[in-house]
Amino acid sequence: MQDAPLKPFRFADATRWVRAGVPVAMVTIVEVKGSAPREAGIRMLVTADDLVGTIGGGHLEWRGMDIAREMIAKGENGEQRRIERIPLGPALGQCCGGVVRLAFEVLTHDDLAWLDAVESAFATGKALARHVPVTGAVRTEASRDLLPSVQLADDSWIDTLVPNDMHIVLFGAGHVGHALVKVLATLPCRVHWVDERDTLFPAGLPENVEAEATDTAEAVVDQAPAGSYFLVMTHSHALDQTLCERIFRRTDFAYFGLIGSKTKRAKFEHRMAEHGIDAARFPEMTCPMGVSGITDKAPAMIAVAIVAQLLQVRDQRAAALAASRREAVHP
């Protein structure tokens, strides 16, 4: 078992290991009945001595790793795919009481076709459906579903894969920015970290973080994809205000936060109104940022409060999307 912090699941890691010839298995929760640690569609990657992602920890995860490593050890002579029913009761040492079905896939070079298709689809913001038989080739096709899902049959499953919905644009490499990146590195998101001063970016950035030193941060606002989460916390109040006004030119962001106090917010709103920003849109800006109830102003504490708020927004958006989809199917 690895000693390093657990990394979030990414298909890119599966592709990298397969191309490098490292035996790896993917474990996916394909069905949940009753209470369980995680939901269907959650997955992890298992090698002989490493783990990426988590299906909930505890005995369920250990059992999943044991089965995956047994399959890896048998190589081509063993099963390449299987579905295992695992009750979460006393026999497993868990008190959830539900039942989980796990799908196991030993990934080989034959899987690179669908792995590459996933990466290509995600790069353009598109969803992909995998038709996975226990025996036989995996088929992929474009999907219009906007939420990840798994449909299980007796000897196959359909796995709808949706690109990650959190693209975070972080302006500012100060103390809070550094603390935020440490937390966000553990989550399934992409972070575009922007500052004028390239010397402030640390060496060895997390895999999901891209740093950009630029004196034209406004252009980064314009180029960010729809549904981005904007976090403004630079070293300059003037630059903060410029970025806020630029973000208000857009109407397609998921979240727009400005670090600071209520006093700073009032001053910014007054100045932006003078610059022609419609005051009716000011509620779209979150300032102060972070969930309420955390009063400690240490950078790490602020970062945790902000990330908690981002996750709340993400879940609210997902719930609204699911409700609209149900309404479209059953008006």
Side-chain angles (χ1 to χ4, degrees):
M1 176 69 71
Q2 64 181 21
D3 295 326
L6 182 67
K7 294 171 54 180
F9 175 91
R10 297 189 184 98
F11 285 102
D13 288 313
T15 304
R16 173 173 55 82
W17 271 327
V18 171
R19 284 208 159 90
V22 177
V24 56
M26 185 168 72
V27 184
T28 305
I29 300 177
V30 292
E31 185 180 67
V32 172
K33 291 185 177 179
S35 178
R38 300 293 300 271
E39 64 274 19
I42 298 299
R43 65 196 82 232
M44 66 181 182
L45 296 171
V46 181
T47 70
D49 56 6
D50 209 347
L51 176 70
V52 167
T54 173
I55 58 172
H59 290 280
L60 171 65
E61 190 158 291
W62 281 103
R63 180 64 179 139
M65 288 190 292
D66 285 345
I67 294 173
R69 286 173 175 152
E70 288 172 5
M71 293 174 66
I72 290 172
K74 292 178 180 178
E76 295 180 358
N77 296 324
E79 294 175 292
Q80 299 303 295
R81 301 190 195 108
R82 67 189 276 191
I83 298 172
E84 188 83 12
R85 180 182 182 273
I86 302 180
L88 303 179
L92 196 63
Q94 294 197 209
C95 58
C96 297
V99 175
V100 169
R101 290 186 187 271
L102 299 179
F104 296 85
E105 302 172 71
V106 178
L107 303 178
T108 69
H109 276 77
D110 291 339
D111 294 287
L112 286 175
W114 73 258
L115 285 168
D116 289 340
V118 170
E119 291 297 310
S120 297
F122 283 11
T124 56
K126 297 177 181 177
L128 195 74
R130 288 198 316 143
H131 298 254
V132 190
V134 171
T135 58
V138 176
R139 294 186 297 107
T140 62
E141 62 182 22
S143 173
R144 294 184 179 180
D145 279 350
L146 301 177
L147 295 172
S149 64
V150 180
Q151 301 175 41
L152 179 63
D154 290 338
D155 57 355
S156 66
W157 65 95
I158 299 174
D159 199 357
T160 301
L161 310 174
V162 178
N164 194 288
D165 63 344
M166 289 189 73
H167 180 91
I168 298 170
V169 186
L170 170 58
F171 294 101
H175 295 311
V176 176
H178 278 252
L180 269 167
V181 164
K182 290 179 180 179
V183 179
L184 294 171
T186 66
L187 300 176
C189 62
R190 300 296 303 177
V191 182
H192 190 175
W193 195 9
V194 183
D195 199 288
E196 295 176 323
R197 306 156 295 176
D198 58 356
T199 56
L200 294 187
F201 296 122
L205 287 173
E207 293 181 10
N208 64 334
V209 178
E210 174 192 1
E212 179 179 358
T214 178
D215 56 3
T216 57
E218 306 94 309
V220 176
V221 174
D222 297 341
Q223 295 163 6
S228 291
Y229 294 66
F230 289 106
L231 307 178
V232 179
M233 51 183 71
T234 77
H235 63 292
S236 164
H237 278 209
L239 179 55
D240 280 355
Q241 184 178 327
T242 297
L243 290 171
C244 288
E245 293 180 5
R246 196 73 168 212
I247 293 168
F248 269 129
R249 291 187 182 185
R250 304 186 58 149
T251 59
D252 59 356
F253 49 79
Y255 177 92
F256 164 25
L258 168 67
I259 199 165
S261 63
K262 293 180 180 179
T263 301
K264 179 178 179 179
R265 179 189 186 108
K267 290 181 178 179
F268 270 47
E269 288 182 350
H270 178 72
R271 294 170 186 167
M272 288 190 292
E274 289 181 338
H275 292 176
I277 304 297
D278 184 359
R281 295 198 61 198
F282 289 160
E284 298 174 28
M285 178 179 72
T286 301
C287 179
M289 283 195 283
V291 295
S292 61
I294 299 176
T295 58
D296 195 317
K297 300 302 182 184
M301 299 295 186
I302 296 172
V304 169
I306 291 173
V307 171
Q309 190 170 62
L310 297 182
L311 294 177
Q312 285 180 336
V313 172
R314 182 200 64 172
D315 287 355
Q316 290 164 2
R317 285 168 55 84
L321 188 59
S324 65
R325 186 171 70 171
R326 288 193 297 269
E327 178 64 22
V329 174
H330 303 290

